């Protein structure tokens, strides 16, 4: 094991563990790429690349940000060929999208923009595993150890609770309890929502930022995916907003996909600022309130205060 696995997690140990995982991820990925490129082009492959390709003149393979950014954002990346042979052609886009998500996660951890919780750490582990598994990186051992160190104590606690005998009511008292028939309210079908340009303008009228403006507020331990059809999915549960909140989902999804046509990972702040990853930063995408979002993810009111840029 190349890192110390905490026995107890406070905010400091969560942060240290996350940064260690990110560093190991970058090291393992760089070593994998170096090995594959050496096999394909010889030991001087990187020196040759720097001499023949101006874009790589100052490229540092061991710089996590530079490495992940080149793989995720550069469609003509010269080092992608080290990975392409291991990823099925039909999954290449999804794989590089995952690397882009990992780049975004690295940024929020480095800048201490996330809540330092075990839930957030587990989410990072899941993201790393998605990138590391197809390549068989050694980091998977550390990811498993961290995951087990968080979940195993919880599983043991649950097992202990299950083993405790639950007192049963006496038979005569059971007979006294009348059978209760729950009335199921009629559910009216949700009418199709027709979205017009004027409606999109209307729901975006209260924006506190310009789209893409850097958001430096701390992000909640919830993360989502914006799909290309405008569907918004909770990454932790796979629940979609059209099921959780159909009244607002379609209009909100239409607005978000107009502003971020490529879709991708979404985050949210306590104030209800939805963020997407723009360039090298988490940037503003839209403002939502508790009544139009996933239940219990926000406690903010429906009235938003203007926030200076």
């Amino acid at each position: 094991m190349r890192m110390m696995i905490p026995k107890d997690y406070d905010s400091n140990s969560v942060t240290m563990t996350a940064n260690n995982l990110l560093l190991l991820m970058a090291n393992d990925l760089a070593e994998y790429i170096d090995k594959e490129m050496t096999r394909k082009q010889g030991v001087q492959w990187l020196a040759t690349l720097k001499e023949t390709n101006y874009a790589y003149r100052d490229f540092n393979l061991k710089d996590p940000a530079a490495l992940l950014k080149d793989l995720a954002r550069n469609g003509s990346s010269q080092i992608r060929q080290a990975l392409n042979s291991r990823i099925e052609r039909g999954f290449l886009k999804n794989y590089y999208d995952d690397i882009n998500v990992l780049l975004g996660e690295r940024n929020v951890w480095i800048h201490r923009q996330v809540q330092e919780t075990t839930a957030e750490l587990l989410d990072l582990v899941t993201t790393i595993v998605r990138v590391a598994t197809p390549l068989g990186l050694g980091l998977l051992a550390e990811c498993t150890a961290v995951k087990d160190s968080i979940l195993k104590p919880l599983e043991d606690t649950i097992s202990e609770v299950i083993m405790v005998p639950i007192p049963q009511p006496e038979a005569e008292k059971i007979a006294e309890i009348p059978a209760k028939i729950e009335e199921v309210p009629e559910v009216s079908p949700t009418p199709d929502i027709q979205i017009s340009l004027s409606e999109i303008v209307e729901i975006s009228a209260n924006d506190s930022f310009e789209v893409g403006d850097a958001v430096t507020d701390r992000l909640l331990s919830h993360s989502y995916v914006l799909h290309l059809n405008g569907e918004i999915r909770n990454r932790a549960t796979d629940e979609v907003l059209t099921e959780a909140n159909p009244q607002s989902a379609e209009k909100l999804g239409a607005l978000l996909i107009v502003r971020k046509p490529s879709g991708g990972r979404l985050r949210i702040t306590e104030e209800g600022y939805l963020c997407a990853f723009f360039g090298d930063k988490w940037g503003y995408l839209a403002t939502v309130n508790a009544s139009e979002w996933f239940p219990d993810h926000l406690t903010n009111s429906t009235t938003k205060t203007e926030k200076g840029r």
Side-chain angles (χ1 to χ4, degrees):
M1 196 65 58
R2 296 172 292 175
M3 58 179 281
M4 183 177 293
I5 307 299
K7 292 183 179 179
D8 299 304
Y9 284 93
D10 57 18
S11 61
N12 288 329
S13 59
V14 165
T15 301
M16 291 177 62
T17 302
N19 288 333
N20 285 336
L21 287 174
L22 287 164
L23 182 60
L24 287 175
M25 176 67 207
N27 286 344
D28 284 1
L29 185 57
E31 288 178 5
Y32 180 90
I33 290 172
D34 183 52
K35 181 179 178 180
E36 285 297 303
M37 294 297 289
T38 297
R39 184 177 63 82
K40 293 173 181 291
Q41 300 180 11
V43 294
Q44 295 298 318
W45 72 269
L46 186 54
T48 301
L49 179 60
K50 290 184 176 183
E51 291 176 1
T52 58
N53 192 318
Y54 181 82
Y56 287 90
R57 184 183 62 175
D58 299 319
F59 181 72
N60 182 358
L61 185 65
K62 294 185 177 181
D63 178 351
L67 174 61
L68 295 174
K69 187 175 181 180
D70 187 73
L71 290 170
R73 306 285 179 74
N74 184 4
S76 59
S77 168
Q78 297 300 298
I79 61 176
R80 279 191 178 188
Q81 57 183 296
L83 310 182
N84 290 348
S85 58
R86 289 293 297 269
I87 312 298
E88 293 185 33
R89 184 179 297 273
F91 293 95
L92 282 173
K93 182 184 182 304
N94 290 338
Y95 185 75
Y96 289 116
D97 284 346
D98 286 337
I99 292 181
N100 191 50
V101 169
L102 184 57
L103 174 62
E105 291 306 294
R106 175 194 174 275
N107 283 18
V108 293
W109 281 100
I110 291 296
H111 296 295
R112 305 294 293 269
Q113 201 178 344
V114 294
Q115 296 182 336
E116 290 105 345
T117 64
T118 52
E120 197 72 59
L121 182 56
L122 285 173
D123 186 72
L124 175 64
V125 168
T126 299
T127 302
I128 290 175
V129 167
R130 287 176 64 89
V131 175
T133 297
L135 308 179
L137 300 183
L139 173 72
L140 291 169
E142 282 82 7
C143 287
T144 299
V146 170
K147 182 178 178 181
D148 289 346
S149 71
I150 296 173
L151 297 181
K152 190 65 166 61
L154 296 177
E155 293 171 356
D156 291 344
T157 301
I158 293 172
S159 298
E160 291 175 4
V161 172
I162 292 176
M163 293 297 291
V164 174
I166 301 174
Q168 299 296 322
E170 297 175 6
E172 56 270 20
K173 290 185 178 180
I174 294 177
E176 295 173 2
I177 302 175
K180 182 178 180 181
I181 302 176
E182 296 286 346
E183 294 184 4
V184 180
E186 293 186 11
V187 179
S188 302
T190 304
D192 292 337
I193 303 174
Q194 301 297 323
I195 303 173
S196 65
L197 179 59
S198 61
E199 287 175 312
I200 291 178
V201 171
E202 179 183 352
I203 62 178
S204 62
N206 295 322
D207 285 336
S208 301
F209 299 93
E210 295 292 336
V211 174
D213 279 355
V215 174
T216 57
D217 296 11
R218 287 170 67 84
L219 304 172
L220 295 177
S221 291
H222 297 295
S223 62
Y224 317 91
V225 174
L226 173 63
H227 294 281
L228 296 182
N229 62 355
E231 186 68 87
I232 304 163
R233 176 171 57 85
N234 180 357
R235 289 185 77 232
T237 64
D238 280 335
E239 182 181 27
V240 291
L241 191 60
T242 48
E243 296 175 355
N245 202 332
Q247 297 300 323
S248 62
E250 192 170 351
K251 289 184 179 180
L252 184 58
L255 172 68
L256 298 185
I257 207 64
V258 165
R259 295 181 167 185
K260 195 74 165 56
S262 59
R265 184 80 172 269
L266 300 179
R267 288 275 202 164
I268 198 166
T269 71
E270 291 182 355
E271 294 80 8
Y273 301 127
L274 272 178
C275 310
F277 200 53
F278 293 90
D280 295 326
K281 66 180 186 298
W282 286 91
Y284 178 81
L285 195 59
T287 300
V288 297
N289 57 60
S291 66
E292 60 190 5
W293 197 237
F294 288 91
D296 302 322
H297 284 206
L298 285 175
T299 57
N300 59 325
S301 67
T302 58
T303 303
K304 292 293 175 184
T305 58
E306 186 73 14
K307 185 167 184 176
R309 295 173 203 161

